Amino acid sequence: MIFSLKRVNAIFIKDWIDLLKNSYMLLTIAMPLALAAYLGRVGGNDELSHMFLINLTFTLVGTFVQASIVAEEKEKNTLRGLLLSPASTLEILVGKSTLSAAATMVVVAGVMFLSDFQMVSLPIFILMLIVGLIIYISVGTIIGLLSRTVMETGVVGMPILVILGMGSIFTSVTDNELIIKLVSYLPSEQFNYMWTQFNDTGSYSDIFGNLFILLIWVVVAIAVTLITYKKRRFD
């Protein structure tokens, strides 16, 4: 089946209309912007603060909004109708992810402006943005498929979101080397390492290891999303 941008656009427009009616998701999208404005005013403009805001945006907007969009389809019993439509699996997944991706990019841009984010390397930042979108939106899709309602996404996804979005907090409250090591492999931590390492050395070769770990996350996230989709789409 030929990939149809028209079908993807139709799914996007439907999600956009639903988003405008959902104050819960609109509030979620606004949270990183409010925090960025606050940190910008109090002088929280160091590298780690900036990366925390971007990782928080990935988590709240990329993952949480995506989970809510997918779960809402299940809650309204409209996902089955979408699956029985002429749209292919790829068109459905891309269509359901387009709004979350667009919202995430807009909020990231807003966060950068409000917090006076200093661009060290545009190519690396774009790469991080693309990889982050794939990973976090995939996780959001999985959470949405595992949830029966929008409210249930908070119960199912909160532990995952806390780990993905604020994993570094665990390293500051524990001396357990195993936990610290595991947290260091999280996408948020790898983004931090990439950005700070390149800022310190200016060498692309120093971030290849971090990029390799992130690409593993991409492959695993996509694979688990497809497996979950096939198992849970008719539940």
Side-chain angles (χ1 to χ4, degrees):
M1 182 181 291
I2 299 176
F3 185 82
S4 173
L5 288 177
K6 183 179 293 186
R7 295 192 186 108
V8 171
N9 186 57
I11 297 172
F12 169 79
I13 292 175
K14 175 188 177 299
D15 288 340
W16 170 251
I17 294 173
D18 290 340
L19 175 65
L20 295 179
K21 301 175 183 177
N22 193 321
S23 58
Y24 169 74
M25 283 196 281
L26 291 174
L27 179 61
T28 302
I29 291 173
M31 287 178 63
L33 294 172
L35 184 57
Y38 171 75
L39 290 179
R41 293 192 63 180
V42 300
N45 57 358
D46 58 281
E47 292 177 11
L48 291 180
S49 294
H50 289 153
M51 291 309 301
F52 170 76
L53 288 170
I54 292 175
N55 284 320
L56 183 65
T57 301
F58 279 139
T59 304
L60 288 180
V61 185
T63 300
F64 228 135
V65 171
Q66 176 68 8
S68 299
I69 289 174
V70 175
E72 188 173 28
E73 291 281 4
K74 295 183 66 178
E75 185 176 358
K76 293 180 178 179
N77 295 317
T78 54
L79 183 59
R80 185 182 295 271
L82 187 59
L83 292 168
L84 294 175
S85 71
S88 66
T89 297
L90 180 60
E91 289 166 350
I92 293 172
L93 291 177
V94 172
K96 299 304 293 183
S97 303
T98 302
L99 180 59
S100 301
T104 302
M105 289 188 288
V106 170
V107 175
V108 166
V111 163
M112 292 171 62
F113 174 76
L114 292 171
S115 63
D116 194 24
F117 183 87
Q118 300 299 317
M119 185 67 67
V120 178
S121 170
L122 181 59
I124 291 180
F125 183 79
I126 293 175
L127 180 62
M128 289 171 55
L129 182 61
I130 294 172
V131 172
L133 286 173
I134 295 173
I135 295 173
Y136 284 87
I137 289 177
S138 295
V139 173
T141 303
I142 295 168
I143 294 172
L145 289 170
L146 293 176
S147 305
R148 292 170 296 181
T149 65
V150 174
M151 295 305 296
E152 195 172 293
T153 59
V155 178
V156 175
M158 189 56 68
I160 299 174
L161 298 180
V162 169
I163 293 173
L164 288 179
M166 295 176 283
S168 57
I169 294 178
F170 295 103
T171 61
S172 63
V173 297
T174 181
D175 295 325
N176 189 299
E177 294 185 3
L178 177 60
I179 294 177
I180 294 175
K181 186 68 175 178
L182 291 174
V183 168
S184 70
Y185 286 105
L186 292 174
S188 58
E189 296 304 296
Q190 292 300 314
F191 288 141
N192 291 342
Y193 297 152
M194 283 181 63
W195 196 252
T196 55
Q197 183 70 18
F198 185 83
N199 189 43
D200 292 339
T201 66
S203 174
Y204 288 96
S205 61
D206 291 334
I207 64 172
F208 285 159
N210 306 117
L211 182 59
F212 178 73
I213 293 173
L214 288 170
L215 291 178
I216 293 176
W217 272 97
V218 168
V219 173
V220 172
I222 293 175
V224 175
T225 299
L226 292 174
I227 293 171
T228 307
Y229 176 81
K230 291 178 180 179
K231 289 185 176 181
R232 300 299 295 267
R233 58 182 178 172
F234 291 122
D235 288 0

